[in-house]
Amino acid sequence: MNDLPLVLIVSGLAVFIGAIVQGGVGFGMGLIAAPVVTLLDPGVMPGAIQVVNFTLPLFTLASEWRKVDWRGLGFALLGRLPGSFIGAYVVVFVSVQTLGVFVGVMVLIAVGLTARAISIPRNGATLTAAGFISGITGTATGIGGPPMGLVYQNAKGPQIRATLAMFFVLSAGQSLIILALVDRLPARSLGVGAALLAPMIAGFVVSGPLRRYLDGGKVRAAILIVAAVSALVLIGQSLMS
């Protein structure tokens, strides 16, 4: 689609809704916004969403940074770095569609297992693996939250949001640098991403009541729902591409 104003309006609405979801749960921007932006203007992806992914968590950290799980974050970032390079390789050389279907199915299986009270332990191995998978899918498609969300599903809301926010700030910055290095970050991507910051801020502001509602013992259910929908969207987006 070449009608830039229409692209920005529709994409802005998707980013607004995505910011509400991520502001409450801790992730979900990619779930809502990435498929919409990809459909409207695939040439700006995944760079445009990575600009938003880098900026939105800063607002969460402004109020909840004291709740960051620094030890867990370190393990996740350890896996995220090599995953980002593989994600960039996928963007340049491999079918992103095949990757999307595979990862989507794996996330659905994980959601199904954990919903039946099979807990995913939160340790160095699972956090590193989650960071690795998030690095691949986040860099290649802009949807990198579900693996981390599943590992942190039993944590308290503020800790989930703060830890994922710090993870997304660092990982999105990493992805932007790597995309630039492999010449997959055109100026148009940065321009569209910058234009989407205003609806992103508005969505985060609106998410306040949702955060308070979910912190009343409903965070785990919300994470499983958002992760499952993310997986279905990723599969659908991949099959239709």
Side-chain angles (χ1 to χ4, degrees):
M1 181 180 295
N2 296 318
D3 189 346
L4 183 58
L6 182 59
V7 169
L8 293 179
I9 291 171
V10 178
S11 298
L13 178 61
V15 166
F16 173 76
I17 297 171
I20 295 175
V21 174
Q22 182 157 321
V25 180
F27 69 101
M29 171 60 71
L31 152 70
I32 307 295
V36 173
V37 180
T38 300
L39 179 64
L40 295 174
D41 195 346
V44 303
M45 287 293 288
I49 288 301
Q50 292 295 2
V51 172
V52 179
N53 285 341
F54 174 80
T55 310
L56 176 58
L58 296 175
F59 290 86
T60 297
L61 290 172
S63 60
E64 297 184 313
W65 65 271
R66 294 176 181 84
K67 301 296 184 180
V68 173
D69 174 18
W70 293 104
R71 179 179 179 277
L73 178 68
F75 282 113
L77 291 174
L78 183 66
R80 219 287 177 177
L81 181 59
S84 296
F85 281 103
I86 294 176
Y89 181 88
V90 169
V91 171
V92 177
F93 297 109
V94 183
S95 169
V96 176
Q97 290 74 25
T98 301
L99 171 72
V101 172
F102 175 76
V103 171
V105 170
M106 292 299 100
V107 170
L108 284 177
I109 291 173
V111 169
L113 291 174
T114 56
R116 298 176 64 86
I118 300 176
S119 178
I120 296 178
R122 187 172 8 131
N123 54 41
T126 57
L127 286 164
T128 302
F132 179 73
I133 297 170
S134 179
I136 298 174
T137 60
T139 301
T141 69
I143 301 176
M148 290 294 295
L150 288 173
V151 175
Y152 273 96
Q153 64 181 280
N154 291 314
K156 294 185 181 298
Q159 184 183 55
I160 296 170
R161 290 190 296 268
T163 305
L164 294 187
M166 185 62 76
F167 177 78
F168 290 144
V169 165
L170 298 175
S171 58
Q174 186 183 94
S175 291
L176 286 169
I177 292 172
I178 292 174
L179 288 171
L181 290 176
V182 298
D183 197 26
R184 286 297 186 274
L185 188 64
R188 181 179 171 86
S189 292
L190 298 176
V192 171
L196 295 175
L197 295 183
M200 178 213 76
I201 294 172
F204 179 81
V205 172
V206 173
S207 71
L210 178 61
R211 284 195 295 278
R212 291 189 290 273
Y213 171 75
L214 293 175
D215 285 351
K218 301 177 176 64
V219 174
R220 181 175 183 272
I223 285 177
L224 292 177
I225 291 171
V226 174
V229 175
S230 296
L232 292 172
V233 168
L234 189 58
I235 293 170
Q237 175 185 329
S238 301
L239 292 176
M240 291 188 295
S241 298

